[in-house]
Amino acid sequence: MNIITVKSYHELSKISANIIAAQINKKPTSVLGLATGSTPVGTYKNLVEMYRNGLVDFSKVITFNLDEYCGLSRENPQSYYYFMMENLFSHVNIPQENINIPNGRAMDIESECREYENKIRQVNGIDLQLLGIGHNGHIGFNEPDDVFHNNTRLVKLTQTTIEANKRFFNSAEDVPKTAISMGIKTIMSAREILVIAGPDKEEIMGKLLEQSCSPRIPASILHYHPNCTVIWAKGN
Ligand code: GLP
């Protein structure tokens, strides 16, 4: 795991956008794994600006998002589908059919998850996976547990995550209790991983850097990825 510490969130956002743009420029048909949450917002802003300045072209890019809440429609401003459209997709030239986000309202969640994995396999896997990190060490919505869960599946959100994410909703009661998340094996199969962490992640970053691999801190598995970079902004 290669750790880059930077002074500000602004710097983090610029560097991560540059890494993603470089990946797309190197391979225009790149398959990107994308993340939601507040941390990637600046990265996406920079990518949109680069696109507007003709520095990156999304016309052949394929994306797979990490997760989606169960029960929220695409039109719901709290859904990750809506977030991605607002923050990135509706501002760049990615074809709609190249965008993949789990459908949290699928009638058959199990087959939705299986299909999601199949689609990733059909495009020969993810070239670059962007990841945020939860305060409890979750990646995607892979919550702390006794074991690592491999595949894309239905997950029950922990109270810590519900509390952390209630800022986007009217109250904690409104936060969905379940979600679909890409699994740990799916994430680890990406050829390259880029983790971004803001100054609010000091505690979990400390644990991640000190501790050995444990499913109690799902992000700790990343120590075993051969090509994982963490950009950590220590200041605002
Ligand atoms: C959510 C997402 C994660 C994200 C995490 C951190 O729980 N499912 O993928 O990494 O939030 O969010 P933030 O960047 O807002 O701290």
Side-chain angles (χ1 to χ4, degrees):
M1 199 152 73
N2 172 27
I3 320 267
I4 304 175
T5 49
V6 296
K7 286 201 184 72
S8 68
Y9 177 72
H10 176 78
E11 210 180 333
L12 170 148
S13 303
K14 273 228 166 315
I15 298 175
S16 56
N18 280 337
I19 293 174
I20 296 170
Q23 168 66 40
I24 299 172
N25 290 332
K26 180 176 76 182
K27 182 182 173 194
T29 56
S30 284
V31 179
L32 303 179
L34 295 179
T36 51
S38 49
T39 314
V41 170
T43 303
Y44 295 149
K45 264 203 187 104
N46 277 280
L47 280 172
V48 169
E49 199 182 315
M50 290 173 96
Y51 165 72
R52 287 188 178 141
N53 292 329
L55 299 174
V56 64
D57 172 16
F58 288 82
S59 63
K60 298 193 178 80
V61 168
I62 297 174
T63 62
F64 285 89
N65 261 80
L66 279 169
D67 43 21
E68 178 60 285
Y69 289 114
C70 283
L72 302 190
S73 71
R74 288 176 158 193
E75 295 75 35
N76 188 316
Q78 272 75 43
S79 74
Y80 285 164
Y81 183 91
Y82 193 97
F83 172 97
M84 289 307 300
M85 294 311 287
E86 280 286 293
N87 286 285
L88 180 66
F89 297 146
S90 63
H91 308 290
V92 298
N93 63 338
I94 184 166
Q96 180 69 33
E97 64 272 21
N98 289 9
I99 297 171
N100 297 282
I101 301 178
N103 176 7
R105 294 184 95 200
M107 297 295 281
D108 183 344
I109 297 278
E110 253 182 51
S111 84
E112 170 70 15
C113 295
R114 255 196 321 273
E115 261 311 292
Y116 206 67
E117 293 277 343
N118 285 341
K119 273 193 191 166
I120 296 174
R121 259 194 300 273
Q122 275 158 19
V123 296
N124 195 27
I126 292 170
D127 291 302
L128 174 63
Q129 174 69 57
L130 178 67
L131 287 182
I133 179 167
H135 290 281
N136 61 2
H138 74 208
I139 46 177
F141 268 137
N142 291 285
E143 299 282 40
D145 205 343
D146 295 336
V147 290
F148 288 111
H149 295 276
N150 284 340
N151 296 324
T152 301
R153 69 202 186 288
L154 179 71
V155 294
K156 199 168 168 285
L157 303 182
T158 59
Q159 203 51 39
T160 320
T161 297
I162 291 171
E163 285 298 318
N165 290 3
K166 72 177 183 199
R167 65 201 146 117
F168 301 111
F169 294 80
N170 289 330
S171 69
E173 285 75 61
D174 291 336
V175 184
K177 307 292 176 283
T178 54
I180 294 178
S181 179
M182 239 189 228
I184 293 288
K185 185 171 155 206
T186 323
I187 293 172
M188 287 295 280
S189 305
R191 286 179 274 282
E192 185 177 348
I193 295 183
L194 175 61
V195 185
I196 50 177
D200 59 319
K201 300 290 161 51
E202 185 149 9
E203 195 183 331
I204 188 62
M205 281 301 295
K207 284 187 192 160
L208 179 64
L209 301 184
E210 274 165 23
Q211 288 193 4
S212 51
C213 186
S214 154
R216 288 274 144 216
I217 301 182
S220 63
I221 190 90
L222 298 170
H223 284 293
Y224 290 101
H225 193 279
N227 190 7
C228 175
T229 302
V230 182
I231 309 179
W232 180 19
K234 286 194 153 181
N236 282 309

